[in-house]
Amino acid sequence: MTSFHESEMIALKDVCFSYADRPILNGIDLTIKRGEIIAIMGGSGGGKTTLLGLIAGRLKPQSGSVLVNGFEVPKLRQTELYGLRRKIGMLFQFGALFTDLNVFDNVAFPYREQTNLPEEMIRTLVLLKLEAVGLRGAKDLMPAELSGGMARRVALARAVALDPSVMLYDEPFTGLDPISVGIIGRLIKRLNRALGMTSVIVTHDLNETLRLVDRVVVLSQGKIHRDMAPEEIRSTDDPFIRQFADGLPDGPVPFHYPGRDYWSELMGQ
Amino acid sequence: MSAYFIRLISTLGHLVTSRIDRLGLVARFAGLLLVSLRIALGRLSLIFREVYFSGVRSLSIVAVSGLFVGMVLAVQGYEVLQRYGSAESLGVIVALSLVRELGPVVTALLFAGRASSAVTAEIGLMRATEQLAAMDMMAVDPISRVVAPRFLAAVFSMPFLAAIFSTAGVIGAWIIGVKLIGIDDGAFWSQMQANVDVRIDVLNGLVKSIVFGTSVGLISVFEGYFAAPTAEGIATATTRTVVISSLSVLLLDLLLTVMMFRGLS
Ligand SMILES: Nc1ncnc2c1ncn2[C@@H]1O[C@H](COP(=O)(O)OP(=O)(O)OP(=O)(O)O)[C@@H](O)[C@H]1O
Ligand SMILES: [Mg+2]
């Protein structure tokens, strides 16, 4: 039915998704090549996290096809899906660290669950990953003792533990100081180069993103509004993208969640 | 009038269908849980950890409650028995009440309040903070990794806790009956020994506590797993666990008692 090219890691064809009867995505077509880093941008509540959920098989589309590494994700049975997910890493928007495990055990979790490596080897691997995110010294802290940015870095170390071939990042930069943003940005790039990882980054941080990615996909009203190279973004006069790049409060992207007219609501009419 | 009537009917109908929906959800969840038990049983260390948190940490409350209940039974039992001149039967009465009924039932009620509510809150919070989702993304099934060990811990802990409750209760009755009131020590124990049957009393009590453990365990993990991911949702789920567990224990006890002890005499 759908053709599959070796070079394509992720391919979405005419994907529609709605929560109950509220459509979120309608007709998404998107292909991502192996080793590519792409950014997904769009307004808050625009369906970016939803899109990652579809790629990871956490959500099923009402129609359309989602291919990852040649597998039709919505049709996989749980064991097959888990087989695929061993090759997919995901960084959650809020880290999602296991609160009853310390930093070390959080990063060790995927090794302990998915491999039969001896404990000394796991120790080495965990320290390696923690060193890469600059938190080797924090290995004995509990998640509650970490700042938001530190938690995100630990979560990143955990997500890349098994060297996945696809990484999905849900807003990796939000709430981080500029130094951490730089560190994580470089880390994403390095992982991508060293392991030939395909990366999808959902982000609002235009500056960092443009330095990092091969392509930027802009979502609007459940569709792909634009799909362009970073250089084009800087120079485009598309009002939608300018609004993002220049941080204007209102424009084509509405700041407000759709609702009743403000005046009549205030007056209780 | 008729509009009001239709509203009433539809509200009632909704109430019924939503309950049935929820029962269906429980059944499907129980199915998934059942399938995952095999994997979960392969990792005893995870189950032991939960047995420690749920079971071992309930030991003191169960033992102390058992002691008190046994003492009360002794006081009340003696008061009635001595009217008929059969005070030595105190040991039997107390032991039978504990082993057949109060041990399994009160232990299950205590367990629901002490341990199961905590399990619900813990799983609900793990869902709300996307820890279950993260686990699922790491190809680790939250049902076999998080839910099943907590469920099994309830099933395993309950018979032991009930046995401890009953033992503490008998000791409490002995303290009151023999030490304080002065019933003959030998008669207290020998009557108990002669009249408590392993199959009819002990085994049936054991079956009860395993059934209660299964029910309380299932309710606590279900409510946690499907808790709304908010502070309020978790609070509601915790309350529901305690209320529904307690009611189900009492209802199941009625059914089991009728099945086990009807027509014995
Ligand atoms: N579980 C859910 N049930 C119902 N609606 C949901 C659910 N999750 C998300 N939504 C709705 O789907 C829409 C898209 O959500 P999504 O999380 O994909 O947005 P997003 O683009 O990631 O936004 P943000 O940038 O704020 O993270 C939102 O309007 C949200 O209200
Ligand atoms: Mg999001």
Side-chain angles (χ1 to χ4, degrees):
Chain A
M1 182 180 74
T2 27
S3 58
F4 164 61
H5 303 284
E6 263 309 305
S7 63
E8 289 173 2
M9 193 63 187
I10 299 170
L12 284 82
K13 301 244 160 55
D14 198 24
V15 169
C16 298
F17 181 85
S18 46
Y19 276 117
D21 43 9
R22 205 156 76 78
I24 308 294
L25 300 173
N26 42 57
I28 299 278
D29 285 298
L30 177 65
T31 32
I32 305 169
K33 289 208 238 354
R34 276 168 208 280
E36 221 177 2
I37 309 186
I38 79 152
I40 296 179
M41 309 190 71
S44 185
K48 303 181 297 296
T49 301
T50 307
L51 189 63
L52 292 186
L54 287 164
I55 294 173
R58 293 186 44 74
L59 302 168
K60 279 196 202 314
Q62 271 79 30
S63 67
S65 86
V66 180
L67 286 175
V68 175
N69 200 17
F71 294 101
E72 178 74 52
V73 178
K75 298 216 173 94
L76 295 180
R77 289 181 304 135
Q78 171 150 332
T79 43
E80 298 165 324
L81 186 60
Y82 275 2
L84 180 64
R85 282 200 190 148
R86 294 205 172 103
K87 301 200 178 66
I88 302 180
M90 176 148 183
L91 182 66
F92 280 81
Q93 201 162 349
F94 303 104
L97 292 178
F98 301 130
T99 41
D100 57 338
L101 301 180
N102 69 14
V103 167
F104 183 94
D105 291 331
N106 260 285
V107 181
F109 185 87
Y111 298 113
R112 290 184 179 147
E113 293 292 325
Q114 305 291 11
T115 71
N116 293 317
L117 296 174
E119 197 57 26
E120 309 96 78
M121 180 95 105
I122 291 179
R123 195 182 126 81
T124 312
L125 288 168
V126 171
L127 293 180
L128 216 69
K129 298 292 178 195
L130 282 175
E131 174 71 20
V133 295
L135 288 174
R136 192 167 41 81
K139 68 180 192 313
D140 296 321
L141 296 182
M142 294 305 283
E145 298 168 307
L146 302 175
S147 73
M150 288 162 82
R152 196 87 51 85
R153 280 148 67 189
V154 175
L156 179 57
R158 186 180 68 177
V160 299
L162 296 175
D163 300 329
S165 38
V166 176
M167 264 303 295
L168 308 173
Y169 300 90
D170 200 348
E171 315 210 357
F173 305 123
T174 354
L176 294 187
D177 62 281
I179 303 171
S180 304
V181 168
I183 292 175
I184 296 219
R186 250 170 295 147
L187 203 64
I188 293 176
K189 189 107 195 169
R190 204 167 68 220
L191 288 167
N192 181 263
R193 289 243 184 81
L195 303 167
M197 212 178 255
T198 309
S199 309
V200 183
I201 309 173
V202 165
T203 177
H204 299 297
D205 192 313
L206 206 62
N207 277 329
E208 185 59 33
T209 311
L210 292 186
R211 260 189 279 157
L212 206 65
V213 302
D214 302 317
R215 256 161 72 208
V216 178
V217 171
V218 183
L219 279 186
S220 164
Q221 292 171 345
K223 285 197 171 11
I224 292 187
H225 174 71
R226 293 295 286 272
D227 183 343
M228 53 198 340
E231 310 81 62
E232 290 178 76
I233 298 260
R234 292 205 178 84
S235 53
T236 183
D237 53 4
D238 183 320
F240 185 95
I241 292 167
R242 286 265 59 87
Q243 189 194 343
F244 253 95
D246 308 337
L248 306 173
D250 243 341
V253 185
F255 168 64
H256 293 285
Y257 191 86
R260 286 167 54 198
D261 177 55
Y262 188 33
W263 178 247
S264 60
E265 180 136 20
L266 276 181
M267 301 322 281
Q269 284 157 5
Chain B
M1 176 64 212
S2 77
Y4 177 78
F5 190 66
I6 287 168
R7 253 230 317 281
L8 185 76
I9 295 280
S10 78
T11 310
L12 274 178
H14 180 73
L15 212 68
V16 171
T17 51
S18 70
R19 289 291 179 286
I20 292 174
D21 268 3
R22 194 138 178 111
L23 266 182
L25 197 61
V26 174
R28 250 188 50 198
F29 181 75
L32 286 177
L33 185 57
L34 206 67
V35 173
S36 74
L37 287 188
R38 205 172 48 82
I39 304 172
L41 281 168
R43 298 189 57 181
L44 290 178
S45 63
L46 288 178
I47 301 174
F48 287 150
R49 183 173 172 277
E50 301 309 326
V51 167
Y52 173 74
F53 279 117
S54 293
V56 177
R57 289 196 166 179
S58 307
L59 270 178
S60 50
I61 184 180
V62 164
V64 170
S65 308
L67 195 71
F68 289 162
V69 168
M71 289 176 160
V72 169
L73 282 178
V75 174
Q76 296 280 12
Y78 176 76
E79 199 274 316
V80 177
L81 287 173
Q82 54 90 23
R83 289 189 217 164
Y84 305 100
S86 49
E88 318 77 60
S89 306
L90 185 66
V92 185
I93 298 287
V94 170
L96 287 183
S97 323
L98 285 168
V99 172
R100 287 182 175 188
E101 289 296 334
L102 294 172
V105 172
V106 180
T107 303
L109 296 179
L110 291 171
F111 191 88
R114 164 67 183 75
S116 300
S117 52
V119 164
T120 301
E122 190 188 14
I123 296 180
L125 207 62
M126 288 183 85
R127 141 105 45 220
T129 53
E130 294 191 307
Q131 295 180 47
L132 297 183
M135 205 175 267
D136 193 39
M137 272 310 300
M138 289 187 265
V140 175
D141 178 20
I143 300 214
S144 52
R145 181 66 170 67
V146 173
V147 170
R150 285 164 175 78
F151 166 74
L152 286 172
V155 179
F156 292 158
S157 306
M158 201 69 87
F160 288 102
L161 291 173
I164 285 164
F165 184 96
S166 297
T167 310
V170 168
I171 292 171
W174 177 78
I175 293 173
I176 296 284
V178 176
K179 287 285 147 188
L180 295 180
I181 300 178
I183 298 170
D184 181 55
D185 200 3
F188 181 89
W189 291 114
S190 63
Q191 286 235 12
M192 192 190 301
Q193 208 171 15
N195 289 295
V196 177
D197 185 87
V198 171
R199 204 195 64 77
I200 296 173
D201 305 312
V202 179
L203 201 69
N204 276 338
L206 186 74
V207 169
K208 276 188 178 179
S209 56
I210 291 174
V211 171
F212 297 162
T214 309
S215 144
V216 170
L218 179 64
I219 290 166
S220 66
V221 293
F222 174 83
E223 291 295 340
Y225 197 77
F226 290 101
T230 58
E232 196 198 1
I234 292 168
T236 316
T238 312
T239 310
R240 287 175 61 98
T241 289
V242 176
V243 172
I244 300 177
S245 296
S246 306
L247 288 177
S248 76
V249 164
L250 296 171
L251 177 67
L252 284 169
D253 184 51
L254 175 63
L255 297 177
L256 288 172
T257 304
V258 169
M259 272 164 51
M260 289 168 171
F261 298 101
R262 183 199 47 188
L264 260 190
S265 37

